[in-house]
Amino acid sequence: MTLSSKLPGVVTRAETAAATRRTLIRAASQLLDEGGPDAVTLRAVGALAGVSRGAPYGHFESKEHLLTQLAVEAWNALADDVEQLRADLDADPGARLERAVLGLIAVARRQPHLYALMFSIPADAPAAVDAAGRLENEFLTLVADVVGEPDAHRYGALVLSSAHGIAGLELSGHLAKDTWGVGVEQLVQMLVDAIRLGADGRDRIVRQPD
Amino acid sequence: MTLSSKLPGVVTRAETAAATRRTLIRAASQLLDEGGPDAVTLRAVGALAGVSRGAPYGHFESKEHLLTQLAVEAWNALADDVEQLRADLDADPGARLERAVLGLIAVARRQPHLYALMFSIPADAPAAVDAAGRLENEFLTLVADVVGEPDAHRYGALVLSSAHGIAGLELSGHLAKDTWGVGVEQLVQMLVDAIRLGADGRDRIVRQPD
DNA sequence: TCGTTCATATGACGTTGTCACATGAAATGC
DNA sequence: GCATTTCATGTGACAACGTCATATGAACGA
């Protein structure tokens, strides 16, 4: 390898390429947030990133690959958040799970188009599997702290489904508070309560005469 | 009005127009089911309906209006299903609610693209409000039979959210059984059980020493 | 029978994703 | 240090798309 970076500030070709790639992703993300999926055209992405309309093809196989990368990074960012949240040991398990669910919903509120994109990408793409798997494991651990190890998977699926449903219904406008008389925060609380109750209340109920 | 239908089989212009409109909707629905959103181009819709590419503009203001109509009819069809299901008086409330939730999920499984379309249409469009409102009311009644009137709205929102979440996660491929060890049917059962338990178990738990 | 209405057909325009090719600078080999 | 290669980028081109303006022809009302 030659010392191509002879001067400070002078970067190698690989470095500038990586930087351009990141700039493209950032531009796509911004366009998605501000104007929705229709606003994300490769021409607009290129323009916002300061390159030509064909330049993205040097970094991404197609527009779909660029969007997939966007979704993968969103999955990872959310997994990072939940992972960080799990480090808060002073909160009780139920409260931590509640905050994790609200974290998922927060993405849907803050970046609705990105959230929708996360779930419209083929879930079997290797990168997507890894990223989504991280988040799933985080939730699994949080749920296990609430309902115990043996029921963690079952209730984990239920919690994640419900959380996703609340988020989705909220951002599609079908969760108006004046219709249901309940806000998202309350719903999440009800969900966690129901999980906790369902898990440790099962025996109690079964033993009880019906 | 003249007797333009002088002969049997000879239809009026208004009738043929209405028929064409329905044919267009059916064509769009078929294209959506078979090829996803990208396959629904007005040109393809026109071709499948046996008209030209511009003909749809005589019946729909834009492509988006056509898709909205598709979504509205899907909402209404689902509401019809649940309404019919509510007439089954021999099933107990919990079982009926369970079947209603499974009905929602069945649409997601049978016509995934249509299901996604239902929730990606602006929820404040008058026609969409009416159609979606019908389904919401149906669910509200079903949930009321399980948890009682005062809690019906709160738990109705939770049930609908969770049902939508299960459906969404399922069709986006994030609910693989070998990951969570639980199938959709079991999840729905858990959900209804948790609702029932949460509603009538609340007092019991509160009274209990923690 | 004669205008009128209106669903449909067609040409056209701007935009999109994508490919083929050109260009020029960085990287590499000697 | 120079020649060659590599490769990110720029540009022209193409088909397909949504949409509009306009033309056409058949069904309508009188």
Side-chain angles (χ1 to χ4, degrees):
Chain A
M1 181 204 293
T2 59
L3 22 142
S4 48
S5 54
K6 334 168 213 182
L7 290 173
V10 176
V11 291
T12 77
R13 179 156 64 173
E15 281 168 344
T16 63
T20 301
R21 187 186 150 95
R22 284 240 56 82
T23 306
L24 287 170
I25 291 176
R26 213 182 306 273
S29 177
Q30 180 178 337
L31 288 169
L32 181 67
D33 287 346
E34 294 175 356
D38 293 347
V40 185
T41 70
L42 285 185
R43 284 165 163 83
V45 169
L48 188 57
V51 295
S52 75
R53 70 183 191 271
Y57 285 93
H59 301 268
F60 303 96
E61 196 175 315
S62 70
K63 181 185 177 181
E64 201 185 327
H65 280 71
L66 169 57
L67 293 177
T68 297
Q69 184 58 30
L70 229 62
V72 166
E73 296 194 2
W75 280 104
N76 277 317
L78 186 55
D80 288 344
D81 284 355
V82 177
E83 190 174 8
Q84 187 121 17
L85 187 142
R86 198 155 59 83
D88 281 359
L89 294 175
D90 42 13
D92 79 297
R96 276 200 313 219
L97 178 58
E98 208 172 303
R99 281 172 55 192
V101 171
L102 285 174
L104 181 89
I105 296 174
V107 175
R109 286 174 149 170
R110 203 165 19 206
Q111 301 179 281
H113 302 295
L114 179 62
Y115 183 85
L117 179 67
M118 289 170 62
F119 291 92
S120 62
I121 242 55
D124 52 348
V129 167
D130 292 351
R134 280 191 58 207
L135 184 65
E136 289 167 3
N137 281 328
E138 291 296 329
F139 263 93
L140 216 51
T141 309
L142 284 168
V143 172
D145 291 342
V146 175
V147 303
E149 202 44 84
D151 283 334
H153 281 78
R154 295 159 17 93
Y155 281 96
L158 186 56
V159 167
L160 203 55
S161 296
S162 300
H164 177 51
I166 295 172
L169 230 55
E170 156 90 348
L171 68 78
S172 65
H174 289 282
L175 219 51
K177 185 160 186 177
D178 54 355
T179 300
W180 299 103
V182 66
V184 168
E185 284 74 13
Q186 284 175 271
L187 273 180
V188 174
Q189 198 173 327
M190 287 175 64
L191 170 65
V192 174
D193 284 349
I195 298 305
R196 187 160 33 192
L197 227 81
D200 77 358
R202 251 190 321 155
D203 314 323
R204 215 177 306 156
I205 293 296
V206 168
R207 286 205 212 99
Q208 221 169 12
D210 204 10
Chain B
M1 183 203 291
T2 59
L3 19 144
S4 47
S5 54
K6 333 169 212 184
L7 291 172
V10 177
V11 291
T12 76
R13 180 157 63 174
E15 281 168 343
T16 62
T20 302
R21 187 185 149 96
R22 283 242 55 83
T23 307
L24 286 169
I25 291 176
R26 214 181 306 272
S29 177
Q30 181 178 336
L31 287 168
L32 180 66
D33 287 345
E34 294 176 355
D38 292 348
V40 185
T41 71
L42 285 187
R43 284 164 162 84
V45 170
L48 187 56
V51 295
S52 76
R53 71 183 190 271
Y57 285 94
H59 301 270
F60 302 95
E61 197 175 314
S62 70
K63 179 185 179 182
E64 201 185 330
H65 281 71
L66 169 58
L67 293 177
T68 298
Q69 184 59 29
L70 229 64
V72 166
E73 296 193 4
W75 280 105
N76 277 317
L78 186 54
D80 288 342
D81 285 355
V82 176
E83 190 174 8
Q84 188 122 15
L85 186 142
R86 198 154 58 82
D88 281 359
L89 294 175
D90 43 14
D92 79 297
R96 277 199 315 216
L97 179 58
E98 208 172 303
R99 281 171 56 193
V101 171
L102 286 174
L104 181 89
I105 296 174
V107 175
R109 285 174 151 169
R110 202 165 22 203
Q111 301 178 281
H113 302 295
L114 179 62
Y115 184 84
L117 178 66
M118 289 170 62
F119 292 91
S120 63
I121 242 53
D124 52 348
V129 167
D130 292 349
R134 280 190 59 207
L135 184 65
E136 290 167 3
N137 280 329
E138 290 297 328
F139 262 92
L140 215 50
T141 308
L142 284 169
V143 171
D145 290 342
V146 175
V147 304
E149 201 44 84
D151 283 335
H153 281 77
R154 294 157 18 92
Y155 281 95
L158 185 56
V159 168
L160 204 55
S161 296
S162 299
H164 177 52
I166 294 171
L169 229 54
E170 157 89 347
L171 67 78
S172 65
H174 290 281
L175 217 53
K177 186 159 185 176
D178 54 355
T179 301
W180 299 103
V182 66
V184 167
E185 285 74 13
Q186 284 176 271
L187 273 180
V188 174
Q189 198 172 327
M190 287 175 64
L191 171 63
V192 174
D193 283 349
I195 298 305
R196 188 161 31 195
L197 227 81
D200 78 357
R202 249 190 322 156
D203 315 323
R204 215 177 306 157
I205 293 297
V206 169
R207 283 204 213 99
Q208 222 171 13
D210 204 10

